[in-house]
Amino acid sequence: MRADRLVAALLFLQTRTRVTVAEVAAELEVSERTARRDLEALASAGIPVYAQRGRGGGWSLVGGARTDLTGLTSEEVRALFLLAGPAAASPELRTAVRKLIRALPAPLRSAAEAAAQANVHDGTDWAHTAVTADRSRLVVLQGAVVDGVQVRLGYAGPGKPESLRTVHPLGLASKAGADYLLADTERGLRTFRLSRVTSVEPTGEPVVRPAGFDLATAWRSLTARLEERMHAATVRALAEPASRAILERVLGGLLRITGTHADGRLEIEVDGPSVEVVAERLAGLGRRVEVVGPPEARTRLAALAEELAALYGRT
C-alpha cells in the first residue's frame, strides 16, 4: 500500500506548483505525519522533491519535473479514458480515473474528462437478466490471481449440487456481461462462471502456473472448444422469408441461409450441440420453419408435437 501512496503523492505533486503536507494528507486520506514521511521517502529515493520552509512554503518538484505519464499523446489519452470510462466501472476504477485525470497536464485534462463520460459498457442483452457475481468473492479471486495463491472454490454448475475443489487461479475474463475465472485443476485448465461460485477461501499455498502459460492464448483455446461443441450438429430446414428477422435474432451465429427453395422459402442450416437441441429450438417457430433433415430432427419434432397435443389438445 505504501508504494501505491508514493506514486499517488508524486502524481499529485505534478498537478500543483506547490503543495502542503495537509493537502497531501487530504488527497491520500492519511495523517499529516504519514504524508510527511511519504514526501521525505520520495526525496530519499532520488525524486527531485524539496521542501520550502516558512510562510507560503510547501513541497515542490524541482524544475517542474514530471513522470512519464505526461508523455501520453492526446490520441492515447482519449483511447485510455474511453476504455476506462467510469459509468459502469467499479468504485476503485472510478477513483483511479479521477486521479489520473488530475495527474495529466492541463491541456489534456478536459479531453480526458469528456472521454471518461462518453461511454457506458453493458454486456448483457435485452432477452436475458444479468446474473452478477458476488462482489466480495470477485475481490477475493482478483487478489488470489494477483498474489498467486490457491483457493478452495465452492461451485454449483447448471443443474448440479455445490461441490468444493482446490484450484490454481490464473486469470479472470469477461464475456457478454458474464465474468469467468480461468484456473488450473486436477483435470487441466477450466473456466468457472463467477455467478455460480458459492464460496472462495484462499489456502495460502502458492499457485503453480503451467509452463509458458499466457492468459489470452489459454482463454481463446478454451472458448474455441466451447464453440466447437456449439456447432457439433447441423439441422437443415425451410423457412418463410418473413421469419428471417426473428431467426437471425434468436439464432445469431448458429444460423446460415444457404439459398432459396423453388417455392420461395429460405433454405437454412442451424448448428447446435446436438440435433435434438436444435430441433427443440426450432419447434417454437411452429409452421414458419419446416425441418427437412436429418431424420432424427424430424423424429424429435414429431415426439414434441405429440407431447404438446396431449398437454394442450382440444377439450
Side-chain angles (χ1 to χ4, degrees), residues 265-310:
R265 288 184 293 174
L266 301 175
E267 297 175 346
I268 66 173
E269 293 181 349
V270 183
D271 292 339
S274 70
V275 168
E276 291 74 16
V277 168
V278 177
E280 290 167 5
R281 295 193 72 178
L282 293 176
L285 295 168
R287 63 185 300 169
R288 287 177 290 185
V289 175
E290 179 187 354
V291 170
V292 296
E296 54 264 38
R298 293 176 63 88
T299 299
R300 178 57 185 152
L301 283 168
L304 283 173
E306 291 180 4
E307 293 174 13
L308 292 172

Side-chain angles (χ1 to χ4, degrees), residues 164-235:
L164 292 174
R165 67 200 79 187
T166 299
V167 303
H168 298 248
L170 300 173
L172 295 163
S174 180
K175 185 176 179 65
D179 295 316
Y180 296 85
L181 169 70
L182 193 151
D184 202 9
T185 72
E186 293 179 349
R187 298 183 178 181
L189 293 178
R190 293 289 187 273
T191 58
F192 299 92
R193 186 165 177 148
L194 265 61
S195 60
R196 295 173 183 151
V197 171
T198 56
S199 63
V200 182
E201 181 185 356
T203 66
E205 295 296 318
V207 163
V208 178
R209 296 175 70 84
F213 175 80
D214 176 75
L215 178 60
T217 301
W219 175 253
R220 286 194 296 269
S221 176
L222 288 170
T223 54
R225 292 181 209 167
L226 178 59
E227 289 288 340
E228 289 178 5
R229 290 198 295 271
M230 290 299 296
H231 294 267
T234 300
V235 169

Side-chain angles (χ1 to χ4, degrees), residues 118-134:
N119 276 343
V120 60
H121 302 282
D122 186 351
T124 61
D125 63 46
W126 295 108
H128 297 85
T129 302
V131 180
T132 57
D134 182 280

Side-chain angles (χ1 to χ4, degrees), residues 49-175:
V49 176
Y50 75 99
Q52 182 177 345
R53 309 296 179 185
R55 186 175 181 180
W59 290 77
S60 304
L61 286 170
V62 175
R66 310 189 70 83
T67 69
D68 287 340
L69 182 62
T70 57
L72 291 171
T73 67
S74 59
E75 290 78 11
E76 290 169 340
V77 167
R78 186 179 298 109
L80 173 64
F81 286 92
L82 280 170
L83 179 64
S90 66
E92 293 85 356
L93 183 54
R94 288 197 295 270
T95 299
V97 167
R98 287 196 294 268
K99 289 181 177 179
L100 285 173
I101 288 174
R102 289 199 296 270
L104 287 168
L108 301 180
R109 208 170 296 150
S110 60
E113 290 174 338
Q117 299 295 333
N119 276 343
V120 60
H121 302 282
D122 186 351
T124 61
D125 63 46
W126 295 108
H128 297 85
T129 302
V131 180
T132 57
D134 182 280
R135 175 153 181 81
S136 63
R137 294 173 191 147
L138 174 59
V139 170
V140 174
L141 285 172
Q142 287 172 333
V145 170
V146 173
D147 297 335
V149 177
Q150 297 179 40
V151 298
R152 184 77 167 164
L153 195 71
Y155 193 75
K160 298 180 180 178
E162 178 188 7
S163 62
L164 292 174
R165 67 200 79 187
T166 299
V167 303
H168 298 248
L170 300 173
L172 295 163
S174 180
K175 185 176 179 65

